[in-house]
Amino acid sequence: MKSRTSFFDKTVLKKDLTRFFPLWALYLIGGLLIMHILSGFYDSYFPNRAYAAARDLNALIGPMGLVNAGYAFLAAQLLFGDLHNTRLCYGVHALPLRREGWYLTHITSGVLMGLAPTLVIVITLLPVLGRFWFVGFLCWGALSLHYLFFFGLATFCMMATGNRFAATAIYGILNFLSLIVHWFAKTIYIPLLPGVRPTGDISNLLSPPVKVVQLDDFFQLVHLDSCFCRNTPDYFIYDGGVHDYGYQGLGGDWGYLLILAGVGIALLGLGLLLYRIRHLERAGDFLAFKPMKPIFLGVYSLCVGAVLFYLAYELADEAAGYFFLVIGLFIGYFTGRMLLERTVRVFNRKGFMGMGILYAAVALSLLLTWIDPIGISRRIPHSNRIDKIILCDGRLSDYQLNSNRIGYYDNVAIITDEEDIASFADVHRLLLQEHSSHNGNGYCPVTIQYHLKNGNRVSRTYNIPYNGAAYLQFVDHLCVPEYLFGAKTTVIFRIIHVCTIIFGAVLTSSLAWDISDTFNGLMMIPNLIGVVVLFPLVMKITKNYVARKIKGKDVKPMLSYDAKLQADIEAALEQE
């Protein structure tokens, strides 16, 4: 070997690549199968095989991020596993090679174990891609970028921990930290803020495994119509015309991957700093550095408390949830100390003092959230900043609420008029007054989403009583379910409905069909009544349209059946 002044050793590199050959060979074989089987080259229904393969590679880059997340962690575990075994740790570091040499050589091995197999996969795809051959190298670049992040994070976890279980736990926590924080805040703190409805957009963005899977815009292929018939794999006849595809440019997801790669490289540098000051006797401990222990202990305790809070809240009520939060913090704190200190003798004065500090910090944060000194729950955006307001059923999911097709759902109203937006602030204040955490019978869940002119969104969900003034104000803007004899009578209807199921199960099929046909026929009665009642209005509107559009007469247009609405629309048209 080289002297202790060396920062790189070829022998160690060769040993890494040969020793861990089964891992990266398995990654290579798996990648070949995934890329070749799932690429559009084998789609017999799509004549343009090269385009189909390029298109599917664009969609596979994101899901391959999950494969890289697991593979990078396994690679880091194998390369730096000696740090978690006392004998290996002392034996390896007795060799005449500086820590920087070990570290940089292992990092080089890990990078090669990730980048080389994907390059081989891409080269095998070049004949499939045809004239889109360069797409393969774009795919290799994207895979390399998110591999650098996951390998950097895994290496940092190996440097910060003392055993494999701890490294696995910390790696998972850091990958999903933003989702954990979002879930914890939504579970514990958000119920104390009336109406606040958080979204997971930012938490998904800061959770790389979740965000990477969603990426699918790395390069863009466009459809080109050609007026010449050419019998090549890149041209095909479809619906009587000849169509071709071409490369347009890079997509918009590269920026996120470049940021991830930069973070991964920074974590590799931070890992080197930790490795240089790491004490060898920390092998086997849960964490290798004392300053990290309070952070882990706090996060672990809060997670255990949040889980128990959630279970009690779902099975019982909110009071039971906060009671079990106290119990969960106690369990989490002392089991966490057992993990960190590798002993069960943690119930001492120092332990109870730390437990008291944790209780005080959580209680203070809950109190401040309940008081809401900065007015998060009371915030109503100024009408000058609002572009539009969406009112809808409070049971719609975040995906439905943020969908571009929100207007197609039932019980949805979109307010764009400036006067209506300005006047809606009074309705919102009334909703704040009558909001209740109770969501059972007699209460209507409603959601308000403000779309601000700067592109931000503010969402609020309230449970308001059907017999309250806020409900009456809200139905002026939104068509919500109303009941002919009151909401409580729905129980009677449900009982009757259940009874019909029993009768339907025991009646003969012919009698069941006869009853069904009878009631279907009876449905024409209200329809005929509506046709007869509305017939004069329909004739009046039709005559107005024929007089204006067909006969060309100068007749005042009939814009509404209601005289007041007619006047309002005419006034609005005159202003325009």
Side-chain angles (χ1 to χ4, degrees):
M1 288 189 177
K2 292 187 178 181
S3 67
R4 295 179 61 88
T5 61
S6 174
F7 289 90
F8 182 79
D9 191 277
K10 294 180 180 179
T11 305
V12 175
L13 176 65
K14 182 179 178 180
K15 188 67 175 178
D16 286 341
L17 296 179
T18 54
R19 182 184 177 189
F20 305 125
F21 168 78
L23 177 65
W24 60 263
L26 181 64
Y27 176 70
L28 173 62
I29 296 172
L32 286 171
L33 293 175
I34 293 174
M35 290 297 191
H36 281 272
I37 293 176
L38 297 183
S39 68
F41 178 73
Y42 297 96
D43 186 358
S44 59
Y45 298 99
F46 202 92
N48 193 320
R49 301 295 181 85
Y51 165 77
R55 174 202 61 189
D56 290 345
L57 280 182
N58 184 57
L60 283 172
I61 293 174
M64 279 295 293
L66 287 181
V67 178
N68 277 344
Y71 174 68
F73 180 69
L74 290 176
Q77 282 266 18
L78 294 176
L79 291 169
F80 297 100
D82 57 278
L83 294 176
H84 294 164
N85 183 286
T86 305
R87 291 184 178 180
L88 284 177
C89 186
Y90 282 107
V92 167
H93 289 83
L95 297 174
L97 188 65
R98 293 177 57 120
R99 290 193 180 190
E100 293 85 352
W102 279 109
Y103 186 83
L104 295 177
T105 304
H106 286 325
I107 292 299
T108 304
S109 302
V111 172
L112 289 176
M113 289 169 62
L115 273 57
T118 52
L119 182 60
V120 174
I121 296 171
V122 166
I123 292 175
T124 61
L125 285 171
L126 293 183
V128 177
L129 292 170
R131 66 190 180 107
F132 296 111
W133 59 270
F134 53 89
V135 166
F137 291 100
L138 292 177
C139 176
W140 176 73
L143 294 176
S144 301
L145 289 176
H146 53 54
Y147 175 81
L148 283 176
F149 168 77
F150 289 117
F151 183 69
L153 180 61
T155 301
F156 170 80
C157 294
M158 294 296 293
M159 297 299 110
T161 57
N163 60 62
R164 297 182 187 276
F165 171 74
T168 305
I170 299 300
Y171 182 72
I173 290 173
L174 292 180
N175 267 305
F176 299 98
L177 181 61
S178 62
L179 291 180
I180 295 173
V181 173
H182 178 264
W183 174 79
F184 183 81
K186 187 176 181 179
T187 303
I188 304 296
Y189 292 96
I190 295 302
L192 300 175
L193 297 172
V196 174
R197 179 171 180 165
T199 60
D201 295 340
I202 297 179
S203 59
N204 289 342
L205 183 66
L206 299 179
S207 179
V210 177
K211 183 62 179 179
V212 164
V213 174
Q214 300 172 353
L215 301 181
D216 59 359
D217 185 23
F218 298 98
F219 45 83
Q220 298 175 357
L221 303 175
V222 294
H223 177 269
L224 306 172
D225 289 332
S226 175
C227 59
F228 301 101
C229 292
R230 297 177 58 181
N231 187 20
T232 68
D234 297 326
Y235 290 81
F236 65 94
I237 298 178
Y238 181 72
D239 291 340
V242 180
H243 299 265
D244 184 25
Y245 291 86
Y247 173 76
Q248 187 179 23
L250 295 177
D253 290 336
W254 287 94
Y256 184 78
L257 285 187
L258 288 172
I259 294 174
L260 281 187
V263 173
I265 294 173
L267 288 173
L268 289 174
L270 183 59
L272 176 59
L273 296 178
L274 293 179
Y275 186 37
R276 294 181 63 182
I277 62 175
R278 180 189 174 104
H279 296 293
L280 299 183
E281 59 269 20
R282 293 297 182 184
D285 291 350
F286 194 86
L287 293 176
F289 298 93
K290 191 175 181 179
M292 295 182 179
K293 293 183 178 181
I295 300 174
F296 169 80
L297 190 58
V299 173
Y300 176 75
S301 303
L302 292 174
C303 288
V304 175
V307 170
L308 292 184
F309 171 90
Y310 177 78
L311 294 175
Y313 181 81
E314 291 295 322
L315 296 176
D317 54 17
E318 188 174 356
Y322 284 105
F323 174 75
F324 276 91
L325 172 64
V326 175
I327 297 176
L329 290 175
F330 182 87
I331 296 173
Y333 180 80
F334 284 105
T335 55
R337 285 180 61 87
M338 292 177 188
L339 286 174
L340 294 175
E341 299 180 13
R342 293 197 291 180
T343 179
V344 295
R345 297 179 180 179
V346 295
F347 298 97
N348 48 37
R349 181 179 179 182
K350 181 180 178 182
F352 283 106
M353 287 183 60
M355 183 75 258
I357 294 174
L358 178 63
Y359 275 142
V362 174
L364 181 60
S365 64
L366 290 173
L367 178 62
L368 289 176
T369 305
W370 180 67
I371 297 174
D372 191 13
I374 60 177
I376 295 176
S377 61
R378 301 184 298 273
R379 177 196 173 199
I380 301 177
H382 195 275
S383 59
N384 293 335
R385 300 173 54 203
I386 301 174
D387 180 49
K388 64 179 178 181
I389 304 176
I390 294 180
L391 313 178
C392 62
D393 190 325
R395 288 162 293 195
L396 289 182
S397 65
D398 291 335
Y399 173 78
Q400 293 172 318
L401 185 60
N402 296 317
S403 172
N404 294 328
R405 299 176 59 85
I406 181 66
Y408 292 94
Y409 294 107
D410 294 333
N411 297 331
V412 172
I414 301 177
I415 302 175
T416 57
D417 184 75
E418 294 182 358
E419 293 183 0
D420 292 339
I421 290 175
S423 63
F424 190 78
D426 296 331
V427 180
H428 194 155
R429 294 188 185 94
L430 195 58
L431 291 173
L432 280 170
Q433 295 175 5
E434 299 190 4
H435 167 72
S436 172
S437 59
H438 182 69
N439 58 3
N441 291 332
Y443 287 83
C444 175
V446 296
T447 293
I448 307 168
Q449 187 177 74
Y450 294 96
H451 288 241
L452 306 183
K453 294 180 179 179
N454 60 3
N456 294 332
R457 299 179 182 182
V458 178
S459 298
R460 297 288 183 265
T461 298
Y462 302 99
N463 293 316
I464 55 176
Y466 282 107
N467 57 357
Y471 176 78
L472 299 177
Q473 291 282 341
F474 200 81
V475 294
D476 290 339
H477 300 280
L478 174 66
C479 178
V480 296
E482 297 187 41
Y483 304 95
L484 185 62
F485 301 105
K488 296 182 179 180
T489 58
T490 57
V491 178
I492 301 175
F493 171 78
R494 292 171 183 172
I495 295 174
I496 296 174
H497 181 69
V498 172
C499 292
T500 60
I501 295 175
I502 298 174
F503 284 112
V506 299
L507 292 176
T508 60
S509 60
S510 59
L511 180 58
W513 278 111
D514 291 340
I515 294 175
S516 175
D517 293 338
T518 301
F519 280 98
N520 282 334
L522 292 175
M523 288 174 59
M524 73 177 181
I525 296 177
N527 290 331
L528 289 175
I529 294 174
V531 170
V532 172
V533 173
L534 293 175
F535 178 76
L537 178 61
V538 173
M539 287 299 299
K540 185 177 179 180
I541 295 174
T542 303
K543 289 180 179 179
N544 181 275
Y545 178 84
V546 171
R548 290 185 299 107
K549 297 296 185 179
I550 298 178
K551 297 183 178 180
K553 294 182 179 180
D554 187 11
V555 180
K556 182 180 179 180
M558 187 176 179
L559 304 175
S560 175
Y561 70 94
D562 184 82
K564 185 178 182 301
L565 291 177
Q566 174 85 14
D568 293 341
I569 297 173
E570 290 177 351
L573 291 175
E574 290 178 359
Q575 292 179 359
E576 293 180 359

